[in-house]
Amino acid sequence: MVKPLFQYVRDEASPRIRSIIFSPESILSLAVGVGFFHWGRGYFAKVPKIGDLTTGLIAYASIALGFCIAGLTISLTLPDQDFVINLALPKKNDERTNAYSDLLFVFSWTALSHWLALIVLFIGALFTESQSSLLPTDCSTLRRWIVGITACICTYCLCQFLITLITLSQVGNIYIKHLLDCHAKKATKPDCTDGQ
């Protein structure tokens, strides 16, 4: 498990590391985590209860993880060969990625971030009392750190899932344009195939 994970980080995440770290969703997630750490005790001293919060977040993360894996699988089995080749062509000669690998990365990275969120949430659910409030006024600094990091990860997952949905919409629009172009070619050249 460790070797494929390092290979994934090296081959897929590394070429995109700057866009991952300096993205709006990363900055927003960090701000939310810092906000929970510094001001969370004032807002979450009584509610929500950890059990209620983790149950809801675990359900969301599980559904989103399944959605991303299904989307990744569908992306790997696109039926239109011409469309896939068009996506797979490099954007520029010196770039290591292309639109198709970026599409696959969006799904896999979003799935991986939700997997991490699930692990963190399960650990939180196992080692805390479910009826305890999120950040009691007398909580330790360690608890504030843990809640801040968890809030950061969950916010990042929510943002990544939104990006995945937007990416799907963009790919759908590109595919519609591709179909219309092929239809126009068929009208002028009846022997045009649709790439299947």
Side-chain angles (χ1 to χ4, degrees), residues 62-76 107-108 111-112:
S62 300
I63 291 167
L65 179 61
F67 176 88
C68 292
I69 291 171
L72 183 61
T73 304
I74 291 169
S75 296
L76 287 170
F107 281 115
S108 64
L112 188 65

Side-chain angles (χ1 to χ4, degrees), residues 33-53:
V34 169
F36 268 81
F37 178 79
H38 282 295
W39 301 290
R41 288 184 297 181
Y43 294 102
F44 305 111
K46 295 185 179 179
V47 289
K49 302 297 182 194
I50 287 181
D52 299 335
L53 189 62

Side-chain angles (χ1 to χ4, degrees), residues 45-174:
K46 295 185 179 179
V47 289
K49 302 297 182 194
I50 287 181
D52 299 335
L53 189 62
T54 54
T55 301
L57 288 171
I58 286 171
Y60 154 74
S62 300
I63 291 167
L65 179 61
F67 176 88
C68 292
I69 291 171
L72 183 61
T73 304
I74 291 169
S75 296
L76 287 170
T77 58
L78 289 173
D80 191 331
Q81 185 178 11
D82 289 339
F83 181 65
V84 173
I85 290 170
N86 190 29
L87 287 177
L89 292 173
K91 299 174 199 170
K92 297 175 186 173
N93 290 336
D94 58 342
E95 286 198 60
R96 291 174 59 188
T97 63
N98 55 59
Y100 191 49
S101 69
D102 288 346
L103 173 65
L104 297 177
F105 180 75
V106 166
F107 281 115
S108 64
W109 186 254
T110 304
L112 188 65
S113 62
H114 281 81
W115 174 82
L116 177 63
L118 280 171
I119 298 298
V120 170
L121 290 166
F122 275 127
I123 291 171
L126 285 173
F127 292 104
T128 56
E129 186 182 330
S130 65
Q131 292 305 310
S132 172
S133 60
L134 186 62
L135 284 168
T137 51
D138 60 343
C139 69
S140 67
T141 304
L142 177 62
R143 183 168 181 150
R144 289 169 52 209
W145 271 107
I146 292 170
V147 169
I149 290 169
T150 304
C152 179
I153 292 170
C154 290
T155 303
Y156 185 79
C157 287
L158 287 166
C159 293
Q160 275 299 118
F161 193 67
L162 178 61
I163 288 169
T164 302
L165 295 176
I166 292 168
T167 301
L168 270 177
S169 176
Q170 291 171 336
V171 171
N173 287 331
I174 293 169

